Amino acid sequence: MSGRLRGKVALVTGAARGIGKGIATRFALEGAAVGVVDLQAEACQAVVNEIEAAGGKAVALAADITDEGQVESLVRRAEGVFGTVTVLVNNAAVMPAGAVHETAAADFDRCVAVNLRGTFLMCRAVIPGMLEVGQGSIIHMSSVTGILGLPGLAAYSATKAGLQGLARAMSTDYARRGIRVNCVAPGTIDSPMLHDFLAAQQNPEPLRQQFDAMHPIGRVGQIDEVASVFVFLASDEASFVTGATYTVDGGLSVKGEQPQD
Ligand SMILES: NC(=O)c1ccc[n+]([C@@H]2O[C@H](COP(=O)([O-])OP(=O)(O)OC[C@H]3O[C@@H](n4cnc5c(N)ncnc54)[C@H](O)[C@@H]3O)[C@@H](O)[C@H]2O)c1
């Protein structure tokens, strides 16, 4: 532990598993007190137990981030336990598959409600405290799908592009008031979401190889490689960074035609 986040109080949404869990765990290792926010109460507590067993500080905050009342009360609870929240990671998301004509309106609405409106509600609830102490770092989890057109992810891609617009707007609103707002846009990450997706396919191995080959670096990313960028953006090392979207995608979003092996 190098203490890069010592003294910070961080909330990470969608932290019961996957990339959010990886970010929460790294934040705690770097000295932050962490609120583990997720729909899944038991899994939240399990992450907290792991963090505490490693000597870190964390609290489980089971909530649905689409519910304004639950969001307000989870933030008040975190403030009661650890003090003013100074870092917010908006990581929770859902990913309905399909082109527009294949996407049910209810699935589109849920995607917007979790990915965009949930992020908005979390920001609204923590910003007054950040303004009071004159410091804060807010990081939205976007995706390369917010930059590139990838097939079959219409609703998800719209919300992930929306998060980048939200971060840019917020960064200008709060730049002179001590709050930085940035986005991270990963490519495909070796995560439970990817494993579940592959497990549901008839012939997963060639598909897994396609995911690897799609990234110029020649492989999908690891959770810790995404978490590292969040640690940087949450820390005071990133004091001049706001309004940015950091791609963590092995070069996917800038690739041209690839030479054949
Ligand atoms: N896995 C990838 O390859 C990849 C690539 C690019 C971006 N991302 C983004 O990274 C983030 C995490 O991805 P992941 O693969 O770990 O996903 P995941 O599905 O494994 O985890 C998402 C978590 O969010 C929680 N959640 C969903 N709706 C919620 C709600 N309403 N309130 C509270 N919690 C809720 C879920 O319970 C789950 O624990 C997402 O924003 C995703 O879009 C993932």
Side-chain angles (χ1 to χ4, degrees), residues 12-23 37-40 43-44 61-67 70-71 74 90-95 110 113-115 118 140-145 156 159-160 163 184-196 211 215 220-221 223 226 230 248:
V12 183
T13 69
R17 71 171 211 169
I19 303 173
K21 178 182 172 183
I23 294 168
V37 181
D38 205 287
L39 278 176
Q40 305 175 49
C44 272
L61 301 164
D64 181 344
I65 60 157
T66 66
D67 182 308
Q70 289 186 39
V71 167
L74 86 84
N90 290 303
N91 167 80
V94 292
M95 188 178 77
R110 180 74 189 160
V114 177
N115 302 9
H140 305 327
M141 179 65 93
S142 181
S143 158
V144 286
T145 61
Y156 178 77
T159 63
K160 292 298 180 180
L163 288 168
V184 175
T188 310
I189 304 303
D190 197 353
S191 60
M193 192 195 245
L194 178 65
H195 301 166
D196 292 351
F211 276 119
H215 297 78
V220 300
I223 287 176
V226 180
F230 278 82
V248 185

Side-chain angles (χ1 to χ4, degrees), residues 154-211:
Y156 178 77
S157 303
T159 63
K160 292 298 180 180
L163 288 168
Q164 293 179 27
L166 182 64
R168 282 191 286 269
M170 289 177 69
S171 70
T172 56
D173 284 334
Y174 300 113
R176 301 261 172 135
R177 305 173 80 183
I179 306 175
R180 297 181 294 101
V181 188
N182 293 289
C183 264
V184 175
T188 310
I189 304 303
D190 197 353
S191 60
M193 192 195 245
L194 178 65
H195 301 166
D196 292 351
F197 172 79
L198 289 173
Q201 309 303 313
Q202 297 239 309
N203 197 2
E205 195 39 42
L207 203 58
R208 164 72 205 221
Q209 285 168 11
Q210 271 178 34
F211 276 119

Side-chain angles (χ1 to χ4, degrees), residues 55 102 167:
E102 297 159 337

Side-chain angles (χ1 to χ4, degrees), residues 244-255:
T245 294
Y246 274 56
T247 53
V248 185
D249 66 354
L252 175 59
S253 56
V254 294
K255 85 171 178 185

